[in-house]
């Protein structure tokens, strides 16, 4: 299923042109029109899922396998010095298009946006960490 109001669905349907670097029956991978670096690309599932919480588990697994394959290929071709694979869920986490997608961001030693993903660390006491661990435990 696709969403007629989704910009990524419109790209996948061909209503909006894109620079596609890979395509198969499940995914289309395009260059980001507002890239953080040379080669910044997006893995788009052809079916519409708003985020990680909605995506089919098998499609999510295939997306990560594709991310690994493309990261290796892009690193070799672009001769980049590092690589980010990013996936945001929710506005507060930086998601701006609500169609699941994975960012493939090549990084270069003298790159313009190398500090964009740095954050300050929060501190928790040992007791707070233990409580968080207990709360999150799947056991």
């Amino acid at each position: 299923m696709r969403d007629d109001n989704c910009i990524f669905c419109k790209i996948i349907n061909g209503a909006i042109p894109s620079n596609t670097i890979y395509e198969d029956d499940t995914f289309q991978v395009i260059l980001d029109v507002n890239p953080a670096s040379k080669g910044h690309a997006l893995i788009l599932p052809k079916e519409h899922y708003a985020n990680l919480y909605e995506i089919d588990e098998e499609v999510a697994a295939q997306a990560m396998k594709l991310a690994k394959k493309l990261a290796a290929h892009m690193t070799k071709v672009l001769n980049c010095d590092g690589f980010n694979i990013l996936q945001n869920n929710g506005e507060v986490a930086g998601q701006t298009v609500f169609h699941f997608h994975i960012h493939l961001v090549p990084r270069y030693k003298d790159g313009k946006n190398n500090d964009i993903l740095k954050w300050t660390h929060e501190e928790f006491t040992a007791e707070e960490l233990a409580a968080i661990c207990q709360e999150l435990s799947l056991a």
Side-chain angles (χ1 to χ4, degrees), residues 102-133:
I102 297 175
H103 292 262
L104 303 171
V105 186
R107 295 299 184 171
Y108 305 90
K109 285 183 182 171
D110 297 321
K112 178 179 177 184
N113 291 313
N114 284 348
D115 63 346
I116 199 163
L117 295 176
K118 292 182 181 176
W119 58 79
T120 58
H121 297 275
E122 291 192 40
E123 292 188 25
F124 297 94
T125 65
E127 293 80 17
E128 290 170 324
L129 288 175
I132 294 166
C133 181

Side-chain angles (χ1 to χ4, degrees), residues 1-2 6 8-9 12 24-29 42-51 55-56 59-60 62-63 66 99-102:
M1 182 187 324
R2 299 214 175 113
C6 172
F8 289 164
C9 287
I12 291 162
D24 62 23
D25 291 340
T26 308
F27 300 101
Q28 184 170 346
V29 181
L42 305 172
I43 297 175
L44 309 175
K46 289 187 173 180
E47 293 297 318
H48 182 85
Y49 307 97
N51 50 42
I55 193 168
D56 176 83
V59 176
Q62 291 173 9
L66 181 57
H99 179 119
F100 176 94
H101 57 287
I102 297 175

Side-chain angles (χ1 to χ4, degrees), residues 2-10 13 48 97:
R2 299 214 175 113
D3 180 340
D4 292 337
N5 297 315
C6 172
I7 190 168
F8 289 164
C9 287
K10 290 177 183 180
N13 287 335
H48 182 85
V97 177

Side-chain angles (χ1 to χ4, degrees), residues 4 15-16 19 21 27-28 31 38 49-50 54 61 63 68 74 89 95 104 113 116-118 126-127 137 139:
D4 292 337
I16 297 174
N19 291 300
I21 63 171
F27 300 101
Q28 184 170 346
L31 291 179
K38 177 184 175 185
Y49 307 97
E54 291 186 7
K68 180 182 187 293
M74 293 167 75
N89 296 282
Q95 186 177 13
L104 303 171
N113 291 313
I116 199 163
L117 295 176
K118 292 182 181 176
E127 293 80 17
S137 177

Side-chain angles (χ1 to χ4, degrees), residues 68-94:
K68 180 182 187 293
K69 176 181 177 178
L70 287 169
H73 173 72
M74 293 167 75
T75 298
K76 182 178 177 183
V77 171
L78 296 171
N79 200 28
C80 58
D81 303 302
F83 213 94
N84 290 118
I85 297 175
L86 306 167
Q87 201 283 310
N88 304 321
N89 296 282
E91 191 174 336
V92 71

